[in-house]
Short mmCIF file of all heavy atoms in Angstrom, two decimals:
data_model
loop_
_atom_site.label_atom_id
_atom_site.label_comp_id
_atom_site.label_asym_id
_atom_site.label_seq_id
_atom_site.Cartn_x
_atom_site.Cartn_y
_atom_site.Cartn_z
N ASP A 1 48.02 40.26 -40.89
CA ASP A 1 48.78 41.55 -40.65
C ASP A 1 47.87 42.73 -40.66
O ASP A 1 47.95 43.61 -39.76
CB ASP A 1 49.84 41.77 -41.77
CG ASP A 1 51.01 40.66 -41.64
OD1 ASP A 1 51.14 40.00 -40.51
OD2 ASP A 1 51.74 40.46 -42.47
N LEU A 2 46.95 42.79 -41.68
CA LEU A 2 46.05 44.06 -41.83
C LEU A 2 45.09 44.11 -40.64
O LEU A 2 44.92 45.20 -40.13
CB LEU A 2 45.30 43.94 -43.05
CG LEU A 2 46.18 44.12 -44.35
CD1 LEU A 2 45.26 43.74 -45.61
CD2 LEU A 2 46.84 45.47 -44.40
N THR A 3 44.61 42.89 -40.24
CA THR A 3 43.67 43.02 -39.03
C THR A 3 44.41 43.37 -37.84
O THR A 3 43.86 44.28 -36.94
CB THR A 3 43.06 41.57 -38.78
OG1 THR A 3 42.36 41.18 -39.95
CG2 THR A 3 42.18 41.53 -37.67
N ALA A 4 45.68 42.90 -37.60
CA ALA A 4 46.47 43.21 -36.31
C ALA A 4 46.80 44.73 -36.43
O ALA A 4 46.70 45.45 -35.44
CB ALA A 4 47.61 42.30 -36.28
N GLN A 5 47.24 45.24 -37.54
CA GLN A 5 47.72 46.66 -37.74
C GLN A 5 46.59 47.67 -37.64
O GLN A 5 46.75 48.71 -37.14
CB GLN A 5 48.55 46.74 -38.89
CG GLN A 5 49.93 45.94 -38.86
CD GLN A 5 50.65 46.17 -40.20
OE1 GLN A 5 50.58 47.27 -40.97
NE2 GLN A 5 51.39 45.13 -40.64
N HIS A 6 45.55 47.27 -38.21
CA HIS A 6 44.52 48.38 -38.56
C HIS A 6 43.12 48.15 -38.05
O HIS A 6 42.15 48.91 -38.14
CB HIS A 6 44.41 48.69 -40.05
CG HIS A 6 45.71 48.99 -40.74
ND1 HIS A 6 46.36 50.18 -40.43
CD2 HIS A 6 46.46 48.37 -41.60
CE1 HIS A 6 47.55 50.21 -41.14
NE2 HIS A 6 47.61 49.08 -41.87
N GLY A 7 42.96 46.87 -37.47
CA GLY A 7 41.69 46.60 -36.84
C GLY A 7 40.48 46.49 -37.77
O GLY A 7 39.34 46.78 -37.30
N ILE A 8 40.70 46.12 -38.95
CA ILE A 8 39.67 46.02 -40.00
C ILE A 8 39.22 44.58 -40.17
O ILE A 8 39.87 43.73 -39.67
CB ILE A 8 40.20 46.48 -41.41
CG1 ILE A 8 41.32 45.76 -41.86
CG2 ILE A 8 40.47 47.98 -41.32
CD1 ILE A 8 41.68 45.99 -43.35
N ASP A 9 38.22 44.33 -40.85
CA ASP A 9 37.76 42.98 -41.25
C ASP A 9 38.26 42.68 -42.62
O ASP A 9 38.30 43.54 -43.45
CB ASP A 9 36.15 42.87 -41.22
CG ASP A 9 35.53 43.07 -39.90
OD1 ASP A 9 36.32 42.69 -38.87
OD2 ASP A 9 34.52 43.63 -39.79
N VAL A 10 38.75 41.48 -42.78
CA VAL A 10 39.42 41.01 -44.08
C VAL A 10 38.76 39.69 -44.31
O VAL A 10 38.74 38.76 -43.50
CB VAL A 10 40.85 40.96 -44.07
CG1 VAL A 10 41.50 40.47 -45.34
CG2 VAL A 10 41.54 42.32 -43.55
N GLU A 11 38.25 39.60 -45.64
CA GLU A 11 37.78 38.32 -46.22
C GLU A 11 38.71 37.92 -47.27
O GLU A 11 39.21 38.64 -48.09
CB GLU A 11 36.49 38.46 -46.86
CG GLU A 11 35.33 38.85 -45.78
CD GLU A 11 34.87 37.73 -44.89
OE1 GLU A 11 35.22 36.53 -45.31
OE2 GLU A 11 34.25 37.94 -43.94
N VAL A 12 39.13 36.59 -47.25
CA VAL A 12 40.07 36.15 -48.25
C VAL A 12 39.34 35.19 -49.13
O VAL A 12 38.64 34.25 -48.79
CB VAL A 12 41.15 35.26 -47.59
CG1 VAL A 12 41.94 34.46 -48.42
CG2 VAL A 12 42.18 36.09 -46.74
N VAL A 13 39.58 35.37 -50.46
CA VAL A 13 38.99 34.63 -51.58
C VAL A 13 40.10 34.05 -52.52
O VAL A 13 40.66 34.89 -53.30
CB VAL A 13 37.96 35.44 -52.36
CG1 VAL A 13 37.38 34.54 -53.48
CG2 VAL A 13 36.82 36.01 -51.39
N ARG A 14 40.37 32.82 -52.37
CA ARG A 14 41.43 32.20 -53.36
C ARG A 14 40.62 31.93 -54.60
O ARG A 14 39.61 31.15 -54.64
CB ARG A 14 41.79 30.82 -52.63
CG ARG A 14 42.88 30.26 -53.57
CD ARG A 14 43.36 28.99 -52.94
NE ARG A 14 44.31 28.22 -53.79
CZ ARG A 14 44.01 27.32 -54.75
NH1 ARG A 14 42.81 27.07 -55.02
NH2 ARG A 14 45.02 26.78 -55.42
N LEU A 15 41.05 32.48 -55.70
CA LEU A 15 40.29 32.46 -56.87
C LEU A 15 41.17 32.71 -58.06
O LEU A 15 42.02 33.60 -58.15
CB LEU A 15 39.19 33.60 -56.95
CG LEU A 15 38.21 33.50 -58.07
CD1 LEU A 15 37.36 32.28 -58.07
CD2 LEU A 15 37.28 34.65 -57.92
N ASP A 16 41.07 31.87 -59.22
CA ASP A 16 41.78 32.03 -60.37
C ASP A 16 40.80 32.77 -61.38
O ASP A 16 39.89 32.25 -61.83
CB ASP A 16 42.18 30.66 -60.91
CG ASP A 16 43.08 30.83 -62.18
OD1 ASP A 16 43.20 31.95 -62.77
OD2 ASP A 16 43.64 29.89 -62.52
N LEU A 17 41.16 34.10 -61.70
CA LEU A 17 40.36 34.88 -62.47
C LEU A 17 40.31 34.45 -63.87
O LEU A 17 39.60 34.99 -64.82
CB LEU A 17 40.71 36.34 -62.41
CG LEU A 17 40.32 36.97 -61.00
CD1 LEU A 17 40.98 38.36 -60.85
CD2 LEU A 17 38.89 36.91 -60.77
N ALA A 18 41.21 33.57 -64.23
CA ALA A 18 41.17 33.02 -65.64
C ALA A 18 40.02 32.12 -65.86
O ALA A 18 39.67 31.77 -67.07
CB ALA A 18 42.51 32.28 -66.04
N LEU A 19 39.32 31.60 -64.85
CA LEU A 19 38.27 30.65 -64.91
C LEU A 19 36.96 31.37 -65.34
O LEU A 19 36.68 32.50 -64.92
CB LEU A 19 37.99 29.89 -63.58
CG LEU A 19 39.17 29.07 -63.01
CD1 LEU A 19 38.78 28.47 -61.77
CD2 LEU A 19 39.51 28.01 -64.04
N GLU A 20 36.22 30.83 -66.19
CA GLU A 20 34.96 31.46 -66.62
C GLU A 20 34.01 31.69 -65.58
O GLU A 20 33.16 32.61 -65.65
CB GLU A 20 34.29 30.59 -67.69
CG GLU A 20 33.08 31.21 -68.30
CD GLU A 20 32.58 30.33 -69.55
OE1 GLU A 20 33.28 29.43 -69.96
OE2 GLU A 20 31.46 30.69 -70.14
N SER A 21 33.96 30.96 -64.47
CA SER A 21 33.13 31.00 -63.31
C SER A 21 33.58 32.08 -62.26
O SER A 21 32.86 32.18 -61.30
CB SER A 21 32.92 29.63 -62.67
OG SER A 21 34.14 29.19 -62.19
N ALA A 22 34.72 32.60 -62.47
CA ALA A 22 35.40 33.47 -61.44
C ALA A 22 34.48 34.61 -60.96
O ALA A 22 34.28 34.88 -59.75
CB ALA A 22 36.81 33.95 -61.88
N VAL A 23 33.89 35.41 -62.06
CA VAL A 23 33.15 36.67 -61.66
C VAL A 23 31.89 36.12 -60.84
O VAL A 23 31.53 36.78 -59.89
CB VAL A 23 32.75 37.21 -62.87
CG1 VAL A 23 31.70 38.39 -62.58
CG2 VAL A 23 34.03 37.89 -63.65
N GLU A 24 31.29 35.06 -61.31
CA GLU A 24 30.00 34.60 -60.60
C GLU A 24 30.46 34.19 -59.15
O GLU A 24 29.65 34.44 -58.16
CB GLU A 24 29.47 33.43 -61.38
CG GLU A 24 28.22 32.89 -60.76
CD GLU A 24 27.55 31.78 -61.50
OE1 GLU A 24 27.96 31.45 -62.66
OE2 GLU A 24 26.61 31.08 -60.98
N THR A 25 31.48 33.58 -58.96
CA THR A 25 32.02 33.12 -57.62
C THR A 25 32.24 34.26 -56.76
O THR A 25 31.78 34.31 -55.61
CB THR A 25 33.26 32.31 -57.74
OG1 THR A 25 33.07 31.22 -58.51
CG2 THR A 25 33.77 31.74 -56.47
N LEU A 26 32.92 35.30 -57.22
CA LEU A 26 33.31 36.49 -56.38
C LEU A 26 32.00 37.25 -56.09
O LEU A 26 31.80 37.78 -54.91
CB LEU A 26 34.24 37.39 -57.06
CG LEU A 26 34.80 38.48 -56.26
CD1 LEU A 26 35.31 38.02 -55.00
CD2 LEU A 26 35.88 39.25 -57.05
N ALA A 27 31.01 37.35 -57.12
CA ALA A 27 29.74 38.12 -56.91
C ALA A 27 28.86 37.29 -55.82
O ALA A 27 28.47 38.00 -54.87
CB ALA A 27 28.98 38.00 -58.15
N ALA A 28 28.87 36.04 -55.70
CA ALA A 28 28.25 35.29 -54.75
C ALA A 28 28.84 35.47 -53.27
O ALA A 28 28.19 35.70 -52.27
CB ALA A 28 28.09 33.83 -55.13
N THR A 29 30.25 35.47 -53.29
CA THR A 29 30.89 35.45 -52.05
C THR A 29 30.74 36.86 -51.40
O THR A 29 30.74 36.97 -50.17
CB THR A 29 32.39 35.32 -52.33
OG1 THR A 29 32.68 34.03 -53.00
CG2 THR A 29 33.29 35.36 -51.03
N THR A 30 30.56 37.87 -52.15
CA THR A 30 30.53 39.20 -51.65
C THR A 30 29.04 39.82 -51.64
O THR A 30 28.79 41.06 -51.33
CB THR A 30 31.39 40.22 -52.42
OG1 THR A 30 30.91 40.29 -53.89
CG2 THR A 30 32.72 39.92 -52.43
N ARG A 31 28.03 38.99 -51.83
CA ARG A 31 26.73 39.40 -51.94
C ARG A 31 26.19 40.14 -50.74
O ARG A 31 25.45 41.19 -50.80
CB ARG A 31 25.78 38.25 -52.26
CG ARG A 31 24.34 38.56 -52.45
CD ARG A 31 23.40 37.31 -52.79
NE ARG A 31 23.89 36.71 -53.98
CZ ARG A 31 24.29 35.57 -54.21
NH1 ARG A 31 24.49 34.78 -53.20
NH2 ARG A 31 24.58 35.00 -55.33
N ASP A 32 26.61 39.80 -49.58
CA ASP A 32 26.07 40.21 -48.35
C ASP A 32 26.93 41.39 -47.72
O ASP A 32 26.70 41.89 -46.59
CB ASP A 32 25.82 39.13 -47.26
CG ASP A 32 24.90 38.23 -47.76
OD1 ASP A 32 23.87 38.57 -48.40
OD2 ASP A 32 24.94 36.99 -47.34
N LEU A 33 28.00 41.84 -48.39
CA LEU A 33 28.90 42.78 -47.97
C LEU A 33 28.56 44.16 -48.67
O LEU A 33 28.21 44.16 -49.90
CB LEU A 33 30.35 42.44 -48.19
CG LEU A 33 30.86 41.23 -47.59
CD1 LEU A 33 32.35 40.93 -47.97
CD2 LEU A 33 30.81 41.31 -46.03
N ASP A 34 28.75 45.29 -47.96
CA ASP A 34 28.42 46.58 -48.60
C ASP A 34 29.75 47.06 -49.27
O ASP A 34 30.36 47.95 -48.95
CB ASP A 34 28.03 47.54 -47.47
CG ASP A 34 27.66 48.89 -47.97
OD1 ASP A 34 27.14 49.05 -49.25
OD2 ASP A 34 27.72 49.98 -47.23
#
């Protein structure tokens, strides 16, 4: 919906933030994004 309506790029990350590894996972996923 957001891409169609606003022409932006969207990355989806399915993640349970209760997990101890969650922060590390999200950090690695977004490493190359500004």
Side-chain angles (χ1 to χ4, degrees):
D1 290 345
L2 292 172
T3 299
Q5 292 178 29
H6 305 291
I8 63 169
D9 293 328
V10 180
E11 297 286 340
V12 166
V13 181
R14 181 181 181 275
L15 187 63
D16 186 346
L17 290 172
L19 300 176
E20 187 173 346
S21 60
V23 173
E24 183 179 350
T25 298
L26 187 55
T29 302
T30 61
R31 181 178 295 119
D32 297 327
L33 299 176
D34 185 26

